[in-house]
Amino acid sequence: MVHSLLETVSKGRRSADGLPYMVLEDALPADYYAQLEASWPATETIAGANDLKNNRPYRIGSTDAIGDTRIAPIWREFVAYHSGSQFLRDVHDLWRSDIERLHRFWPQNFGKGLESFGVGTRSPGKHSNGSNTDHDIVMDCQFVINSPVTEVSTVRGPHLDGPHKLFAGLFYLRHPDDDSSGGDLEFYRLKGSRWPKPKPSRIDPDQVELIERIPYRANTLVMFLNSPISVHGVTARSTTAHVRRYMNLLGECYRGRHSDFFITPAPELPYWARTLRARVNRYV
């Protein structure tokens, strides 16, 4: 029996700063989590047989994982569920009010609510892959590792996810023997009133201030609604032979009237958010 990462969402802690993110510790029952942790795929299954570069992300998505017999059945069932329609309904229940608050032009863009969306499995290639436009939303549940660290570094600093993404979730499966430091997720707010140059996919750390740091801890789920104020990044990791392990959950929309559907001018947002559409279209 598969357990949903959101079946105990009522225990989750929402941000107190108005940002649309949620932290849920001990997300899965201990015995079920132990089975998943013990059957985590081999590094070669996720990253291939070549030498790994320093602190780089490697991943395998739902379309490949579900049919890969090297991956344990318990994991393939987990991936299928978390890239399917029932999980989307749970996501909708979680972010309903935030969607109304931050995506106020949703009806004009899609003509229907998220609860009526047709769901497909996300394929590689984003908008360049035509299969990703066959459904209103395409879901993915990816195995991800950040490779061992030979030089202290961050896998990714402050940034905003791409405009096609509706939501994202990171479910951590830290190895019990991993005694490294860092690899924590951070959420930020911008210090100034204008969106920083050159592009929101890479923001100078001096241009943001920390709201919260969420530790990289086993059986912890962090989810957020993608929006103009969902700036986040990962802290530097110390040198270690261990990989940073997590499942990356996401949903992307490629059938809206505007490709950058989540960037919409809303009166309660600051100036940088109201002008973000033009900047993203120019630089991303």
Side-chain angles (χ1 to χ4, degrees):
M1 172 185 172
V2 66
H3 285 273
S4 171
L5 284 168
L6 293 178
E7 67 183 34
T8 60
V9 70
S10 59
K11 301 189 306 180
R13 174 178 54 78
R14 298 280 192 127
S15 166
D17 292 84
L19 266 71
Y21 71 84
M22 180 273 300
V23 182
L24 177 59
E25 297 177 347
D26 298 320
L28 294 175
D31 57 344
Y32 182 67
Y33 175 81
Q35 294 177 60
L36 291 173
E37 197 280 327
S39 56
W40 179 262
T43 296
E44 293 76 15
T45 301
I46 299 173
N50 295 329
D51 292 339
L52 304 183
K53 296 183 179 180
N54 174 62
N55 199 17
R56 294 289 183 89
Y58 296 86
R59 65 193 72 223
I60 179 172
S62 297
T63 53
D64 294 321
I66 291 173
D68 192 334
T69 56
R70 296 174 298 173
I71 296 174
I74 189 174
W75 269 119
R76 283 182 276 151
E77 184 183 33
F78 181 94
V79 167
Y81 179 88
H82 288 91
S83 53
S85 57
Q86 179 56 57
F87 188 67
L88 178 64
R89 287 193 285 271
D90 295 338
V91 169
H92 179 232
D93 290 342
L94 177 62
W95 298 120
R96 186 192 308 265
S97 61
D98 292 286
I99 289 173
E100 294 173 354
R101 176 170 64 96
L102 295 169
H103 301 322
R104 298 179 65 180
F105 289 83
W106 184 287
Q108 296 94 312
N109 201 4
F110 294 106
K112 56 184 174 182
L114 184 60
E115 70 278 3
S116 301
F117 269 27
V119 182
T121 303
R122 178 181 180 270
S123 297
K126 298 188 176 182
H127 60 274
S128 63
N129 190 323
S131 65
N132 287 329
T133 65
D134 291 341
H135 305 274
D136 298 310
I137 186 168
V138 283
M139 308 268 285
D140 208 348
C141 180
Q142 304 171 330
F143 292 93
V144 186
I145 62 167
N146 298 149
S147 55
V149 181
T150 56
E151 181 179 348
V152 175
S153 58
T154 175
V155 68
R156 195 168 188 189
H159 67 281
L160 189 72
D161 285 355
H164 298 288
K165 187 176 290 183
L166 173 62
F167 73 90
L170 295 90
F171 177 58
Y172 294 135
L173 293 105
R174 182 172 187 146
H175 193 283
D177 297 333
D178 185 355
D179 58 356
S180 63
S181 62
D184 304 325
L185 186 67
E186 294 185 329
F187 286 95
Y188 316 94
R189 68 167 60 89
L190 289 172
K191 291 180 179 178
S193 61
R194 290 179 177 269
W195 189 256
K197 294 182 179 181
K199 56 184 179 179
S201 60
R202 187 175 60 254
I203 301 171
D204 190 324
D206 292 336
Q207 294 178 301
V208 297
E209 58 184 6
L210 178 66
I211 292 177
E212 183 178 3
R213 177 178 296 130
I214 296 126
Y216 167 52
R217 183 177 295 150
N219 202 9
T220 296
L221 172 69
V222 186
M223 289 200 75
F224 64 91
L225 180 70
N226 199 24
S227 76
I229 59 174
S230 301
V231 183
H232 59 287
V234 181
T235 63
R237 296 169 65 207
S238 64
T239 56
T240 178
H242 290 283
V243 298
R244 178 173 179 258
R245 309 187 305 186
Y246 65 96
M247 299 302 292
N248 187 40
L249 304 103
L250 60 94
E252 293 178 344
C253 305
Y254 293 95
R255 296 185 68 180
R257 293 177 58 193
H258 306 286
S259 61
D260 51 350
F261 79 90
F262 83 89
I263 303 166
T264 52
E268 75 273 22
L269 296 180
Y271 175 79
W272 63 263
R274 297 197 303 271
T275 60
L276 183 56
R277 178 193 299 275
R279 292 188 182 276
V280 171
N281 284 343
R282 181 177 179 184
Y283 291 111
V284 176

